[in-house]
């Protein structure tokens, strides 16, 4: 099937000129630029649409148009096209004949009256208004809808996000609402709300779940595979994960080449590991970084391979777990006993827990409860799970257990190679994360002056890096200024940095340590512009333990680098750098007898740095009946 086509049409009226129509055309076209540039879709626009041109266009592009958009004046029976109006019945006949048309978007005033006629002619879904809508708001709503659609949200979700943005931006009360209406064929079109997504009942699931394609078939040539194989003695199978990353994000493929003398040639292969590292979220990228160092076939490499396997599984598990918790809180979903018994609460259970199998169990809970995960690609991942993936996971789990009991393989070279091949298969399963951005968000400042719309400045940064631990906060205003906000003091996952209202909060499972260090250390700006990421470990003696991702998991468990392992009972005074040694002063004061303040000073009443995480976890346990 050919790429879906979005046909944007606009028509102005010289007697009732719409000043923002050109702006609407520009902003909608720009909103769809990303999938168009990646050649997932086609976008055409006509800024002075006439009836003959529209009919001619559909004739030349029969069954290619997926969305027909009209911006301009309208009423309950016609579109005010240039050179003469377009009667709803005549247009409906034309549109109803288009087999692949999913949606008609009538971005004009009081266009709801046309919905019934369009339904009668076979159109599946329409976005329309039941009252006059201010021109600037109509443009913003449409822009937000198409931007959400461009970033892989389905029609139903994109409509909700556009509505949420408008309510947030203008603080509108209940008199202005947005929702989807589902109608059976022949029913009169009635709606109490002014702006609606109207869907014929028989097409409800098809329309609400339809989204733009977001996958490009890219396959490495034999020449490129041979080049990678010759360039790497170890990690060659890890390098082939690039192929899967490129399929999910075609921009990555371009990073493998450069212009030289007017010709496109392969980059030096030394850059290829960096491409993988920076296109995975840092919990995974950090581990692949370590594999570049641990490149000899020994126990350190085996531990690092297993560490990468475990932390990748943990990251996927915690993403789904965070999402499940959201649904439990919103919809009061009850979880089955097997979930409660399968959650790793203590250190022993944590060390034995299979996070990959746990991730699949959580996904099946989504299917059982008929809810969609925030990261929709989990469905593709599970459905596409093959026998060789099972074998790879089973092999790595067995190797993990052997290492845990101190068993060393006889043939270290063969064992390392086989483990790398198995790990590469599972990293390919997680390659869809290259579509998403993992961000740390600290403080949020709001600004609303007389002549400016409401904006937010976020102290935030992207959790991607190259070879070092240089995870930094954004400095440029262009990256910090947003029209919508997410949660603060959190690590979030989003498809689009400019749509932070469409994000998944990963707290308390994935955290930025320095977010909380600053919260209790107002006077000393500790590592102000850095981020340091930890994954939740286990609970012991009322403490919740976290492990860094900057080192391999075995080192973190042994706490070889001091702060590899942190917990929620750490107090600010103990945490602050450079504090502690008072021995010389205590000896000096001892010459004058007991110090009357010594006992009071020995009591540590400073706040606990990570206490809020423990509170969140307690709420999670309460919501999911783990208590």
């Amino acid at each position: 099937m050919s790429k879906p086509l979005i046909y944007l049409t606009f028509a102005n009226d010289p007697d009732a000129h719409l000043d923002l129509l050109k702006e609407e055309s520009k902003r909608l076209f720009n909103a769809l630029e990303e999938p168009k540039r990646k050649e997932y879709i086609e976008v055409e626009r006509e800024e002075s649409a006439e009836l003959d041109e529209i009919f001619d266009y559909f004739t030349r592009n029969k069954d290619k148009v997926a969305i027909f958009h009209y911006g301009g004046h309208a009423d309950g029976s016609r579109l005010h096209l240039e050179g003469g109006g377009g009667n709803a019945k005549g247009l409906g006949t034309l549109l109803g004949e288009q087999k692949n048309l999913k949606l008609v978007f009538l971005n004009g005033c009081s266009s709801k009256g046309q919905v019934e006629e369009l339904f009668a002619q076979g159109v599946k879904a329409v976005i329309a208004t039941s009252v006059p809508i201010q021109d600037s708001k109509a443009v913003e709503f449409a822009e937000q809808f198409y931007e959400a659609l461009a970033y892989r949200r389905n029609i139903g979700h994109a409509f909700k996000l556009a509505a949420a943005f408008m309510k947030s931006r203008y603080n509108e009360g209940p008199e202005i609402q947005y929702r989807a209406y589902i109608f059976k064929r022949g029913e009169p079109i009635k709606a109490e709300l002014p702006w609606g997504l109207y869907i014929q009942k028989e097409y409800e699931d098809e329309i609400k779940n339809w989204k733009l394609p977001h996958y490009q078939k890219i396959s490495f040539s034999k020449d490129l595979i041979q080049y990678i194989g010759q360039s790497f003695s170890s990690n060659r199978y890890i390098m082939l994960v690039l192929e899967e990353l490129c399929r999910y994000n075609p921009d990555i493929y371009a990073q493998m080449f450069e212009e030289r003398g007017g010709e496109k040639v392969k980059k030096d292969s030394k850059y290829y590991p960096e491409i993988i590292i920076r296109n995975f979220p840092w919990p995974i990228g950090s581990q692949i970084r370590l594999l570049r160092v641990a490149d000899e076939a020994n126990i350190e490499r085996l531990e690092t391979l297993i560490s990468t396997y475990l932390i990748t599984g943990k990251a996927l598990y915690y993403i789904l777990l965070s999402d499940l918790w959201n649904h439990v809180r919103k919809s009061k979903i009850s979880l089955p006993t097997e979930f409660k018994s399968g959650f790793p609460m203590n250190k022993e259970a944590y060390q034995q827990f299979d996070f990959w199998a746990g991730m699949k169990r959580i996904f099946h809970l989504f299917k059982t409860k008929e809810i969609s995960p925030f990261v929709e690609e989990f469905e593709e991942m599970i459905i596409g799970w093959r026998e060789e993936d099972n074998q790879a996971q089973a092999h790595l789990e067995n190797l993990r257990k052997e290492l845990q009991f101190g068993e060393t393989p006889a043939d270290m070279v063969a064992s390392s190679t086989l483990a790398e091949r198995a790990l590469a298969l599972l990293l390919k399963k997680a390659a869809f994360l290259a579509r998403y951005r993992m961000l740390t968000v600290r403080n949020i400042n709001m600004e609303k002056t007389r002549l400016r719309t409401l904006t937010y400045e976020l102290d935030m940064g992207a959790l991607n890096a190259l070879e070092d631990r240089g995870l930094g906060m954004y400095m440029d205003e262009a990256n910090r200024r947003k029209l919508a906000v997410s949660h603060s003091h959190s690590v979030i996952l989003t498809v689009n940095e400019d749509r932070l209202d469409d994000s998944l909060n990963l707290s308390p499972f994935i955290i930025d340590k320095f977010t909380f260090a600053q919260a209790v250390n107002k006077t000393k700006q500790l590592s102000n512009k850095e981020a340091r990421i930890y994954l939740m470990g286990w609970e012991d003696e009322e403490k919740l333990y976290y492990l860094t991702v900057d080192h391999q998991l075995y080192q973190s468990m042994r706490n070889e680098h001091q702060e590899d392992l942190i917990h929620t009972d750490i107090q600010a005074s103990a945490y602050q750098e450079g504090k502690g040694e008072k021995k010389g002063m205590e000896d000096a004061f001892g010459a004058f007898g007991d110090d009357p303040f010594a006992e009071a000073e020995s009591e540590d009443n400073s706040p606990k740095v990570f206490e809020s995480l423990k509170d969140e976890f307690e709420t999670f346990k309460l919501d999911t009946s783990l208590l």
Side-chain angles (χ1 to χ4, degrees), residues 207-304:
I207 298 303
K208 291 175 74 173
N209 296 320
W210 186 86
K211 57 186 176 182
L212 300 179
H214 51 267
Y215 191 98
Q216 191 174 93
K217 291 184 177 179
I218 293 178
S219 296
F220 283 2
S221 64
K222 290 183 179 179
D223 174 63
L224 184 54
I225 293 173
Q226 187 178 28
Y227 173 65
I228 291 172
Q230 292 171 346
S231 300
F232 297 91
S233 56
S234 61
N235 296 322
R236 62 175 63 182
Y237 297 102
I238 302 297
M239 291 305 102
L240 291 181
V241 176
L242 264 172
E243 183 176 28
E244 200 69 13
L245 291 171
C246 291
R247 289 172 178 166
Y248 285 105
N249 186 348
D251 287 343
I252 297 173
Y253 189 74
Q255 297 170 23
M256 300 173 64
F257 295 86
E258 62 183 350
E259 291 287 335
R260 194 184 303 160
E263 185 181 357
K264 187 178 180 182
V265 297
K266 293 186 288 289
K267 278 185 179 178
D268 191 310
S269 60
K270 69 181 181 182
Y271 295 110
Y272 286 8
E274 297 176 6
I275 295 172
I276 294 179
I277 292 167
R278 70 169 174 256
N279 283 291
F280 268 120
W282 184 239
I284 301 173
S286 65
Q287 298 297 295
I288 297 172
R289 174 183 63 88
L290 296 173
L291 284 171
R292 296 192 66 188
V293 179
D295 59 353
E296 296 184 10
N298 54 28
I299 191 65
E300 181 187 2
R301 178 162 178 81
L302 276 182
E303 284 189 346
T304 307

Side-chain angles (χ1 to χ4, degrees), residues 6-12 21 24-25 28 44-50 53-55 57-58 67-72 79 81 91 105-107 146:
I6 298 179
Y7 185 30
L8 306 172
T9 65
F10 308 90
N12 224 321
L21 205 59
E24 178 181 353
S25 170
L28 301 195
E44 294 289 343
R45 59 175 169 171
E46 175 55 61
E47 294 186 332
S48 301
E50 297 182 1
E53 290 175 331
I54 292 175
F55 268 80
Y57 188 83
F58 275 101
I67 297 177
F68 172 67
H69 178 95
Y70 170 78
L79 306 179
L81 299 171
L91 275 174
F105 194 143
L106 302 179
N107 206 28
Y146 285 113

Side-chain angles (χ1 to χ4, degrees), residues 318-385:
Y318 285 147
I319 288 169
L320 265 181
L321 189 63
S322 299
D323 197 4
L324 181 66
W325 186 21
N326 279 350
H327 286 285
V328 168
R329 287 187 67 81
K330 289 178 182 177
S331 307
K332 305 301 180 185
I333 296 170
S334 59
L335 299 179
T337 306
E338 53 264 33
F339 168 78
K340 302 165 191 175
S341 60
F343 186 83
M345 295 290 287
N346 56 48
K347 185 176 181 179
E348 183 181 0
Y350 171 83
Q351 290 178 300
Q352 298 175 1
F353 191 72
D354 185 339
F355 285 95
W356 286 84
M359 175 265 298
K360 288 187 278 188
R361 285 195 297 270
I362 293 178
F363 174 78
H364 287 302
L365 275 177
F366 276 82
K367 299 301 290 183
T368 302
K369 301 296 182 180
E370 298 183 341
I371 51 180
S372 298
F374 175 84
V375 178
E376 298 171 349
E377 289 81 4
F378 271 112
E379 183 155 9
E380 300 171 14
M381 176 188 186
I382 303 302
I383 291 174
W385 198 271

Side-chain angles (χ1 to χ4, degrees), residues 339-603:
F339 168 78
K340 302 165 191 175
S341 60
F343 186 83
M345 295 290 287
N346 56 48
K347 185 176 181 179
E348 183 181 0
Y350 171 83
Q351 290 178 300
Q352 298 175 1
F353 191 72
D354 185 339
F355 285 95
W356 286 84
M359 175 265 298
K360 288 187 278 188
R361 285 195 297 270
I362 293 178
F363 174 78
H364 287 302
L365 275 177
F366 276 82
K367 299 301 290 183
T368 302
K369 301 296 182 180
E370 298 183 341
I371 51 180
S372 298
F374 175 84
V375 178
E376 298 171 349
E377 289 81 4
F378 271 112
E379 183 155 9
E380 300 171 14
M381 176 188 186
I382 303 302
I383 291 174
W385 198 271
R386 301 164 296 177
E387 181 55 34
E388 63 184 68
D389 301 318
N390 283 329
Q391 292 171 355
Q393 191 205 341
H395 176 75
L396 292 170
E397 274 296 317
N398 288 334
L399 185 56
R400 169 198 186 182
K401 292 172 183 175
E402 290 174 7
L403 292 178
Q404 193 170 333
F405 290 105
E407 299 177 20
T408 304
D411 189 338
M412 194 66 75
V413 174
S415 184
S416 294
T417 301
L418 195 57
E420 183 190 330
R421 289 185 64 184
L423 175 62
L425 282 175
L426 297 186
L427 285 174
K428 288 180 180 180
K429 306 302 291 186
F432 61 79
L433 289 174
R435 291 177 178 164
Y436 291 82
R437 294 286 273 170
M438 189 175 283
L439 303 158
T440 181
V441 183
R442 293 177 182 167
N443 300 314
I444 301 175
N445 297 317
M446 183 172 64
E447 187 174 287
K448 177 72 171 72
T449 60
R450 180 187 292 270
L451 300 178
R452 294 182 64 177
T453 56
L454 179 64
T455 57
Y456 307 88
E457 183 173 0
L458 285 74
D459 187 16
M460 61 181 286
L463 301 182
N464 300 85
L466 294 180
E467 296 186 59
D468 58 14
R469 299 186 303 180
L471 297 174
M473 310 302 285
Y474 288 145
M475 299 297 290
D476 294 343
E477 184 179 286
N479 289 323
R480 296 166 63 91
R481 289 275 176 171
K482 305 296 177 184
L483 294 176
V485 296
S486 70
H487 297 109
S488 63
H489 293 87
S490 301
V491 170
I492 64 169
L493 194 71
T494 182
V495 291
N496 180 0
E497 278 195 33
D498 293 322
R499 288 302 309 263
L500 296 182
D501 53 331
D502 183 24
S503 61
L504 177 64
N505 190 334
L506 302 177
S507 175
F509 308 106
I510 303 178
I511 68 164
D512 169 14
K513 180 184 74 171
F514 288 149
T515 289
F516 302 94
Q518 290 181 10
V520 300
N521 195 11
K522 304 291 186 182
T523 59
K524 186 177 180 182
Q525 291 302 308
L526 182 63
S527 302
N528 187 41
K529 294 302 176 185
E530 294 181 33
R532 192 64 54 81
I533 305 308
Y534 284 67
L535 300 186
M536 193 176 79
W538 62 88
E539 191 175 28
D540 184 28
E541 295 181 353
E542 300 301 315
K543 301 174 188 176
L544 191 58
Y545 283 84
Y546 287 83
L547 297 105
T548 182
V549 300
D550 286 343
H551 303 120
Q552 52 115 308
L553 190 60
Y554 293 91
Q555 291 177 338
S556 299
M557 292 286 290
R558 295 189 291 261
N559 202 15
E560 291 184 5
H561 300 269
Q562 294 186 0
E563 288 194 355
D564 280 358
L565 188 64
I566 59 176
H567 59 77
T568 53
D569 231 22
I570 296 175
Q571 293 183 285
S573 59
Y575 182 84
Q576 292 170 359
E577 296 177 349
K579 181 172 180 176
E581 294 297 327
K582 296 184 184 177
K583 204 165 188 180
M585 288 296 292
E586 287 171 358
D587 290 344
F589 275 112
F592 306 107
D594 293 336
D595 183 354
F597 300 106
E599 185 176 347
E601 287 184 353
S602 67
E603 293 180 7

